[in-house]
Amino acid sequence: VSDASGCSMIAFLHTGAAKFPRNLLSRARQAVSPLLAGVLKGYSSIVSRKLASHGFGASMAAMSSFPPQRYHYFLVLDFEATCDKPQIHPQEIIEFPILKLNGRTMEIESTFHMYVQPVVHPQLTPFCTELTGIIQGMVDGQPSLQQVLERVDEWMAKEGLLDPSVKSIFVTCGDWDLKVMLPGQCQYLGLPVADYFKQWINLKKAYSFAMGSWPKNGLLDMNKGLNLQHIGRPHSGIDDCKNIANIMKTLAHRGFIFKQTSKPF
């Protein structure tokens, strides 16, 4: 039993079994079995460490806990925009956050977050600051929407999201962000809208499919329906993204498969 791999001994036990006394054969097998088990366990541990070093450990564990999604990545987005009562026109995006959510683990892998300088109504109203928590100093001197969109594209490329083999889709709490706000402001400013902004998942619709009820109060109702603690401040773009991601993760662990809800442009 001196062979560290146990392989030579196993071959001997099989080929020489007919000539080997039964009582000695039984003892030999008993001696080799723990050794072989240890070898296999050690090999399994090495493979696991190798996979973990390449980032597969968590995703493999996650895949065993809930069904695989149709997308490699979910891009959670929630704009905040200039506003007042009565509403001002045109509204302009002043906070632009995106969370890159891994479709296998439903964990956040990367964050894009910028504030945007409004140009038509550069002075924020007291109502806007009270609602969003965004003060004037947070937008003054910040990049324009055109510049921010250029940086979004750079971030998408850096994250591998522009690779045709990588399936990703935006997720918003409602249709307003990508159906109304972004295309409306881009049209006003004469800016093109990238194709990746033209399909998305409306989390309200996904939640209603999964839970059987429409969340009238958006994130607050969805968190309540899933017994989740609300993260951060309501109407903070980045905090809203974190709540959306948390709700998605919870629904995924319950077996829900997310699908595109927007109609093609």
Side-chain angles (χ1 to χ4, degrees):
V1 191
S2 59
D3 190 330
S5 70
C7 294
S8 297
M9 180 56 74
I10 293 170
F12 171 75
L13 291 175
H14 281 287
T15 58
K19 300 178 181 180
F20 208 59
R22 288 189 178 181
N23 61 332
L24 292 180
L25 181 61
S26 177
R27 289 180 186 177
R29 281 175 174 162
Q30 289 174 4
V32 169
S33 293
L35 176 63
L36 183 58
V39 170
L40 292 175
K41 183 178 180 181
Y43 179 74
S44 176
S45 177
I46 291 170
V47 171
S48 296
R49 287 198 299 271
K50 287 287 186 183
L51 287 171
S53 71
H54 290 286
F56 288 107
S59 61
M60 289 180 70
M63 284 192 290
S64 66
S65 62
F66 59 86
Q69 296 291 331
R70 295 184 171 189
Y71 297 92
H72 297 116
Y73 296 101
F74 297 104
L75 305 176
V76 179
L77 177 150
D78 189 272
F79 295 138
E80 298 304 325
T82 53
C83 54
D84 202 1
K85 279 192 173 181
Q87 189 61 272
I88 57 176
H89 297 284
Q91 282 188 276
E92 298 171 85
I93 296 168
I94 54 175
E95 185 181 5
F96 204 127
I98 307 171
L99 298 180
K100 179 188 176 188
L101 201 64
N102 187 305
R104 295 172 299 177
T105 65
M106 300 306 286
E107 298 291 343
I108 298 168
E109 284 194 355
S110 182
T111 301
F112 178 92
H113 186 212
M114 293 189 72
Y115 291 99
V116 189
Q117 169 76 60
V119 294
V120 182
H121 301 288
Q123 194 69 31
L124 301 183
T125 65
F127 174 83
C128 182
T129 293
E130 183 180 353
L131 179 70
T132 65
I134 299 173
I135 62 173
Q136 192 66 40
M138 296 166 72
V139 297
D140 284 346
Q142 294 301 309
S144 66
L145 180 64
Q146 180 177 358
Q147 292 169 322
V148 171
L149 289 173
E150 289 170 357
R151 295 189 190 181
V152 169
D153 202 66
E154 292 170 0
W155 178 79
M156 295 276 287
K158 180 175 70 72
E159 295 294 327
L161 297 167
L162 301 185
D163 184 336
S165 67
V166 175
K167 293 186 66 178
S168 64
I169 189 168
F170 279 90
V171 184
T172 59
C173 185
D175 291 323
W176 174 82
D177 300 81
L178 294 178
K179 187 175 183 178
V180 177
M181 187 61 240
L182 182 63
Q185 189 178 357
C186 284
Q187 183 179 24
Y188 184 90
L189 296 173
L191 300 175
V193 179
D195 286 342
Y196 46 70
F197 286 126
K198 296 180 180 180
Q199 50 275 321
W200 63 90
I201 295 169
N202 178 343
L203 184 64
K204 292 180 182 178
K205 291 181 180 178
Y207 176 90
S208 68
F209 296 152
M211 302 296 288
S213 62
W214 182 261
K216 293 181 181 179
N217 294 313
L219 293 175
L220 296 176
D221 280 359
M222 288 186 272
N223 276 327
K224 184 178 180 181
L226 295 169
N227 295 314
L228 299 175
Q229 190 72 30
H230 191 86
I231 299 170
R233 184 189 194 285
H235 300 294
S236 157
I238 190 66
D239 287 347
D240 284 352
C241 284
K242 292 174 183 177
N243 281 285
I244 292 171
N246 200 29
I247 290 165
M248 291 184 69
K249 181 178 179 180
T250 303
L251 291 176
H253 276 280
R254 292 187 177 202
F256 184 74
I257 306 296
F258 290 92
K259 303 173 184 177
Q260 177 179 331
T261 61
S262 64
K263 294 180 181 179
F265 272 56

